[in-house]
Amino acid sequence: MWQYFRVFLPAAFSQVTPPPAQTNPDTTIIETLRENLQDNIPVISLDESDGQDGSAQNISSQLGAGRDPFLSAATFKFGAVRFRIRGYDADQFNTYINGAPMENLDNGFTPYGQWGGLNDVLRNRESTSGLRSSTFGFGDMGGLTNFDARASRQRKQTSINYAASNRNYNNRIMITHSTGLNSKGWAFSFSGSRRWAEEGYAEGTYYDGWSFYAGVDKRFNDRHLLSFVAFATPTENGRQGASVSEMLDLAGDKFYNPYWGYQNGKKRNVSIAKSFQPIGILTHDWKVNDKTSLVTAASLTMGKRSTTGLDWYNAADPRPDYYRYLPSWQLDPMYASMVADELRNDVNKRQINWDVLYNSNYGAFDVVRNANGIPGNDVSGRRSKYIIEDRIINTTKYNFNSTLNTNISENVIFTAGVSYQSQKNHYYKEVDDLLGGEFYVDVNQFGERDFPTNNSAAQNDLNRPNRILKTGDKFGYNYDLNIKKGSVWLMGVFKFRKFDVFIASEHSYTSFFRYGNVKSGLFANNSFGKSTTYNFYNSGIKGGLTYKIDGRNYIFVNGAYASRAPFFENAFIAPRTRDFVQDNLKSEEILSTELGYVLNAPKLKIRATGYYTQFKNQIDVLTFYHDEYRNFVNYAISNIGKVHMGIEFGVEAKIYKGLNLTAAAAIGNYTYNTRQSATVTTDNNADVLSKNEVVYSKDFYVPTAQQAYTIGFDYRSPKFWFLNVNFNYFDKMYLNYNPIRRTAAAVNGLDEGSEKWHQVLDQTQLDPQYTLDAFAGYSWLMNRKFNQLKKRTFLVFNVGVNNILNNTNIVSGGFEQLRFDFAEKNVNKFPDRRFYAYGINFFASVGIRF
């Protein structure tokens, strides 16, 4: 996820001030080559004499800009299994760009895709890991990162790069030009790229992504710098879907994709993701005096992201891997064998059959009475049985953040910050393609079926009943979420001769509500207009102590306690149809601590950390189609508790001239420590089907690799080429479990401890896996007499090959289906769905910089 780190390590650290912008920075050839070869900013390491005379002065705090051997491995080497640092969800990491917070308020995730393809202008960054102190934010339990994309911070150069790959995209071209800060105090930077593939690694997928960036800085004097950046990444891609093992075997392909089919001889994907959400950030740097600085940033994000999919009315399920179409569902063995042969040998049987969908619509003549709610207005024609719908989220997000840093004395540093964030998401659906039909109707077919005598029940919008839909019309659900959050935080860092101490506190206030834009016939009083506003006050405190053994060896301990408001998407049970929320809605609580040792020596770097984190009062909402109720069911889950504990270890040792040994290990135990509680409702009825049903989830594992290891060699030649080779191993991986199977009803009638009892309850563990990766590069200085030239020109080659041993058994993600056979207790009736990591894959690039 993160590619380049400037990692701030334990407790109270010396504050590393970014270097002042220069008109024409005169870096050395080694620094330039290091950037070309590693795509990283030059690292800062302790001088060999630092801290040797402890009797004369304070031992230096651990320098934060050094290379962290564990984080480097976790970032670059563990991606095959979608490794999560400390097992944390993505909402436990904060991200800033030019001082403005970037994470979404509805779920806490960072939308990295909004700046994908802009590698050249996002190289400069500061990151803190875990509970350590930071100069730009209070931080969550996993840490935080600030990207510095200001124009004056970009290296003065022009860069042109082309890359080829066999992953999500096959081609990438990137062009960047940065002027540096001129004599009049102006700096400009521009970058653009395109990534594309007519077909990606998985069959039926494609990718077309553009990226644009423009930045301008104006330095008014040595105390004021005003920066503005704007960037956008319009992207469209055909997606891959997870499927069951039975279909993977029949297709003979671990990367079988059920989302596409042939139309007129060409592959057409039904699940198209699109995103265009431009961002603008205005940042003011004010150097109040030699000891105090104030950085203020404001940002605006506007735009939408969407995903298409099939919708159908009174018609057969069109999905090719629907369980009723599989051989295992057929009762007659001979017929099952025939079905298997057809699926195995006919691609049109195991993919979406577009001809069938179109032909169904061509023959679907219908008359709609009182169309658009007008009595006597009858509309006739081809009423589509199948359409493609576009599920859209249109976002408007405002952020303001201001951070003050001041050196009160040589040994005391004070930092304070204030932020305000506002986000509005508009959720709705549009008709994307009528697939040969003439119109569709905005009705709820489940309500129509379940309440045949209630004319209102079938209406998605009572304000516009029986609305006739054409391509581009909104239909189905249509609602807004509105979230506002304000926070303040304070931090003090105190440095002594042998100890550094920091303490920090944050206080925040969050409010959110739903606003319905349509009046559902099933929930006329709870769907239209503004819901109740839900407010939460939260606070957090963290602190740490570092013992400085000498200028190279450090022991640190940090701890934190915080409460956090629930996220909107977990609070509302079924926001598509109504404004109901979970019972006893309250804030989540988090307790975390870490203890570690760091060695920063010229030939050896070590970081070892033990950590313990407990999460309390988490909530979640799962929505799925329930065969027994023949409806979409909402599982509102509360009392989710988790414990994440483990050890992180990383080492980087120089064993010969230019040759380094690197190794890292993440040994964790991430488990649920509570029996969760589930309240079950359906989309089409306000009745509670089950109240506070116990989910026997205690001691189940969080679905991420619990153990990950890597060892490798890194050689850097004085001739300006390098080679990295790493072997990686992963163990104790589990699928995301289905809570329905872990209830008393699921094992009712089974003998406790029997084989079938264990089949129903036990969590699915995946096999251990491994990869072998290599990365190499060469940088050629084309005009070697660079000392006599104003510009130096480099031609840079890089190539990376992952999974060299072509291990195609790596499950990179997956889940148990949210269905269960209560009658026969057959866990194979609805088998799990899995994604597999790519086999051998590569990324090769050539670029010129001048």
Side-chain angles (χ1 to χ4, degrees):
M1 183 179 295
W2 300 334
Q3 295 181 349
Y4 317 113
F5 281 84
R6 189 179 174 195
V7 182
F8 282 78
L9 289 171
F13 316 103
S14 58
Q15 307 303 309
V16 180
T17 304
Q22 302 177 29
T23 303
N24 185 16
D26 184 20
T27 55
T28 68
I29 182 174
I30 296 302
E31 289 173 326
T32 305
L33 288 172
R34 180 180 290 146
E35 182 187 72
N36 288 337
L37 294 178
Q38 290 187 289
D39 277 340
N40 205 346
I41 58 174
V43 296
I44 304 172
S45 59
L46 286 172
D47 184 83
E48 291 188 26
S49 62
D50 281 353
Q52 296 304 303
D53 188 5
S55 60
Q57 59 184 11
N58 288 354
I59 299 175
S60 63
S61 300
Q62 186 185 346
L63 197 58
R67 177 184 175 93
D68 183 310
F70 173 79
L71 284 181
S72 178
T75 305
F76 294 105
K77 312 302 181 186
F78 296 160
V81 295
R82 301 182 185 179
F83 176 80
R84 290 161 24 193
I85 294 177
R86 298 189 180 181
Y88 293 162
D89 291 330
D91 56 39
Q92 291 298 327
F93 300 86
N94 295 134
T95 303
Y96 296 75
I97 297 182
N98 290 358
M102 290 289 108
E103 63 270 9
N104 292 325
L105 294 179
D106 54 328
N107 56 19
F109 293 177
T110 295
Y112 289 97
Q114 290 181 7
W115 50 87
L118 295 174
N119 310 47
D120 277 353
V121 294
L122 292 171
R123 302 189 187 284
N124 301 320
R125 66 193 67 184
E126 292 182 3
S127 293
T128 67
S129 173
L131 305 177
R132 291 137 192 169
S133 63
S134 168
T135 60
F136 53 89
F138 180 78
D140 272 325
M141 300 300 157
L144 63 169
T145 296
N146 181 43
F147 294 90
D148 190 343
R150 289 173 290 185
S152 60
R153 303 305 194 203
Q154 307 301 321
R155 182 182 295 278
K156 182 181 179 180
Q157 66 176 8
T158 298
S159 172
I160 303 173
N161 181 278
Y162 171 78
S165 175
N166 68 336
R167 299 171 185 170
N168 288 343
Y169 55 85
N170 300 145
N171 306 276
R172 186 195 72 184
I173 187 167
M174 184 183 301
I175 301 174
T176 303
H177 175 71
S178 300
T179 65
L181 202 63
N182 63 27
S183 58
K184 295 184 179 181
W186 289 94
F188 302 90
S189 184
F190 306 93
S191 185
S193 72
R194 186 190 179 200
R195 297 163 291 166
W196 74 97
E198 293 186 5
E199 186 168 60
Y201 194 96
E203 193 171 11
T205 63
Y206 70 90
Y207 196 96
D208 192 13
W210 296 78
S211 303
F212 309 98
Y213 159 92
V216 56
D217 282 14
K218 172 60 178 176
R219 181 177 291 281
F220 296 94
N221 49 49
D222 61 352
R223 295 191 180 276
H224 292 278
L225 174 69
L226 189 64
S227 305
F228 178 75
V229 299
F231 49 91
T233 57
T235 304
E236 176 180 324
N237 65 288
R239 301 170 68 229
Q240 180 189 5
S243 193
V244 297
S245 298
E246 185 175 5
M247 277 301 290
L248 303 187
D249 294 339
L250 290 168
D253 184 4
K254 290 282 181 65
F255 308 98
Y256 163 75
N257 181 12
Y259 284 167
W260 69 273
Y262 281 107
Q263 182 180 357
N264 298 325
K266 295 184 178 179
K267 295 175 182 177
R268 181 180 181 182
N269 193 309
V270 73
S271 183
I272 307 299
K274 297 180 181 179
S275 176
F276 181 52
Q277 296 179 301
I279 300 175
I281 306 173
L282 181 68
T283 305
H284 176 233
D285 289 73
W286 179 21
K287 184 180 178 182
V288 181
N289 53 49
D290 290 342
K291 295 184 177 181
T292 303
S293 65
L294 180 68
V295 178
T296 303
S299 69
L300 170 64
T301 302
M302 299 182 69
K304 62 185 181 181
R305 65 186 189 273
S306 64
T307 305
T308 61
L310 285 168
D311 188 29
W312 56 96
Y313 175 81
N314 285 344
D317 195 314
R319 295 171 296 177
D321 59 347
Y322 181 50
Y323 72 95
R324 292 179 180 267
Y325 302 156
L326 299 180
S328 59
W329 178 258
Q330 314 312 319
L331 298 178
D332 185 342
M334 291 185 62
Y335 184 66
S337 178
M338 184 181 69
V339 170
D341 288 340
E342 286 184 342
L343 289 172
R344 192 177 294 113
N345 299 314
D346 187 351
V347 65
N348 292 312
K349 294 290 186 179
R350 62 176 182 266
Q351 303 297 152
I352 292 174
N353 195 320
W354 292 105
D355 290 341
V356 168
L357 305 188
Y358 274 88
N359 289 332
S360 297
N361 289 344
Y362 290 150
F365 184 84
D366 197 6
V367 178
V368 180
R369 307 295 182 186
N370 303 322
N372 298 320
I374 303 173
N377 181 32
D378 298 342
V379 174
S380 62
R382 296 194 304 272
R383 178 179 180 174
S384 293
K385 290 182 176 293
Y386 299 96
I387 68 165
I388 295 178
E389 64 180 19
D390 201 6
R391 299 181 287 270
I392 300 170
I393 305 175
N394 198 333
T395 298
T396 302
K397 183 166 58 175
Y398 304 92
N399 290 318
F400 172 85
N401 189 62
S402 188
T403 305
L404 175 76
N405 280 278
T406 182
N407 292 354
I408 296 176
S409 68
E410 183 179 353
N411 297 321
V412 179
I413 301 170
F414 175 77
T415 306
V418 59
S419 71
Y420 175 78
Q421 300 168 268
S422 174
Q423 180 174 332
K424 178 181 178 180
N425 284 1
H426 181 194
Y427 298 84
Y428 60 97
K429 295 196 297 183
E430 286 183 355
V431 177
D432 184 75
D433 193 334
L434 289 168
L435 299 180
E438 293 178 323
F439 65 90
Y440 203 54
V441 185
D442 188 15
V443 294
N444 179 344
Q445 63 175 310
F446 297 109
E448 189 177 55
R449 180 200 66 196
D450 295 342
F451 305 96
T453 61
N454 183 349
N455 294 330
S456 296
Q459 300 302 324
N460 284 320
D461 188 4
L462 287 174
N463 295 328
R464 296 176 296 174
N466 291 335
R467 190 161 55 94
I468 302 301
L469 303 171
K470 300 290 187 177
T471 301
D473 287 343
K474 293 183 175 67
F475 77 105
Y477 61 79
N478 188 332
Y479 66 95
D480 301 333
L481 75 81
N482 293 267
I483 312 174
K484 292 179 172 57
K485 179 180 180 181
S487 63
V488 295
W489 64 281
L490 305 169
M491 182 186 69
V493 177
F494 309 91
K495 301 179 182 180
F496 304 98
R497 194 180 76 84
K498 296 287 287 186
F499 292 94
D500 287 350
V501 179
F502 84 90
I503 187 167
S505 180
E506 181 185 48
H507 301 267
S508 65
Y509 187 81
T510 304
S511 68
F512 56 74
F513 64 88
R514 175 193 183 273
Y515 189 93
N517 300 308
V518 295
K519 191 173 185 178
S520 167
L522 289 168
F523 303 96
N525 298 322
N526 298 98
S527 56
F528 186 67
K530 183 179 177 180
S531 73
T532 301
T533 300
Y534 298 92
N535 304 302
F536 301 89
Y537 164 74
N538 299 99
S539 63
I541 186 170
K542 68 177 181 178
L545 175 106
T546 299
Y547 174 59
K548 300 175 284 190
I549 301 172
D550 53 36
R552 297 176 181 173
N553 295 272
Y554 305 84
I555 296 175
F556 64 92
V557 59
N558 302 316
Y561 173 81
S563 65
R564 187 171 67 173
F567 291 118
F568 176 94
E569 65 176 27
N570 297 326
F572 282 82
I573 294 175
R576 300 172 307 283
T577 58
R578 54 194 184 274
D579 60 10
F580 296 175
V581 298
Q582 294 216 35
D583 293 337
N584 192 26
L585 201 59
K586 57 185 177 181
S587 293
E588 171 187 353
E589 297 179 63
I590 311 170
L591 175 67
S592 185
T593 186
E594 60 186 14
L595 172 68
Y597 165 76
V598 173
L599 169 63
N600 266 337
K603 295 185 177 182
L604 182 63
K605 297 183 187 300
I606 295 175
R607 201 259 281 180
T609 305
Y611 58 89
Y612 176 92
T613 303
Q614 183 176 7
F615 299 91
K616 296 176 62 178
N617 300 327
Q618 290 188 328
I619 58 176
D620 196 8
V621 175
L622 305 175
T623 299
F624 57 95
Y625 186 83
H626 198 296
D627 287 83
E628 183 177 346
Y629 297 118
R630 297 173 61 220
N631 214 318
F632 283 97
V633 166
N634 307 295
Y635 250 62
I637 304 177
S638 59
N639 192 38
I640 300 176
K642 296 187 295 184
V643 170
H644 294 233
M645 65 177 76
I647 297 172
E648 299 170 338
F649 175 79
V651 60
E652 181 179 313
K654 296 181 180 179
I655 57 178
Y656 192 66
K657 296 179 181 179
L659 181 63
N660 288 356
L661 170 68
T662 61
I667 306 172
N669 191 65
Y670 321 132
T671 58
Y672 295 93
N673 69 333
T674 59
R675 289 181 174 177
Q676 299 163 12
S677 179
T679 297
V680 186
T681 59
T682 66
D683 264 8
N684 289 339
N685 199 313
D687 294 340
V688 176
L689 303 178
S690 178
K691 182 78 169 179
N692 296 328
E693 184 175 10
V694 176
V695 178
Y696 294 92
S697 53
K698 189 175 181 181
D699 297 327
F700 272 47
Y701 289 94
V702 174
T704 185
Q706 310 272 319
Q707 297 178 9
Y709 308 88
T710 184
I711 187 169
F713 294 94
D714 177 3
Y715 178 72
R716 300 188 176 276
S717 167
K719 301 294 185 180
F720 310 126
W721 62 269
F722 72 92
L723 174 65
N724 308 127
V725 178
N726 274 80
F727 179 80
N728 315 299
Y729 183 79
F730 312 98
D731 199 2
K732 291 195 69 178
M733 299 175 289
Y734 297 84
L735 284 182
N736 204 358
Y737 67 91
N738 173 8
I740 303 171
R741 274 175 51 185
R742 280 75 190 187
T743 60
V747 293
N748 183 36
L750 298 180
D751 294 332
E752 184 174 349
S754 65
E755 182 180 356
K756 179 159 283 193
W757 187 86
H758 280 290
Q759 287 177 354
V760 173
L761 291 181
D762 290 354
Q763 189 175 8
T764 304
Q765 182 173 358
L766 304 173
D767 295 332
Q769 297 297 341
Y770 60 87
T771 61
L772 180 67
D773 306 328
F775 186 58
Y778 173 66
S779 185
W780 174 36
L781 179 59
M782 300 176 68
N783 46 356
R784 290 195 171 276
K785 297 182 179 179
F786 63 88
N787 286 325
Q788 302 174 13
L789 302 173
K790 292 184 179 180
K791 292 185 177 180
R792 301 184 295 275
T793 301
F794 289 91
L795 190 62
V796 182
F797 303 89
N798 286 305
V799 61
V801 182
N802 287 0
N803 199 1
I804 294 172
L805 301 179
N806 198 31
N807 180 3
T808 58
N809 296 317
I810 304 171
V811 178
S812 60
F815 52 91
E816 296 175 356
Q817 292 193 62
L818 295 176
R819 292 177 169 184
F820 182 64
D821 178 11
F822 283 93
E824 299 179 3
K825 318 295 186 185
N826 180 9
V827 297
N828 295 317
K829 183 175 180 178
F830 304 111
D832 57 64
R833 291 176 176 262
R834 304 184 180 192
F835 288 103
Y836 284 83
Y838 296 156
I840 185 170
N841 60 91
F842 74 92
F843 185 91
S845 67
V846 57
I848 185 170
R849 297 181 180 182
F850 54 89

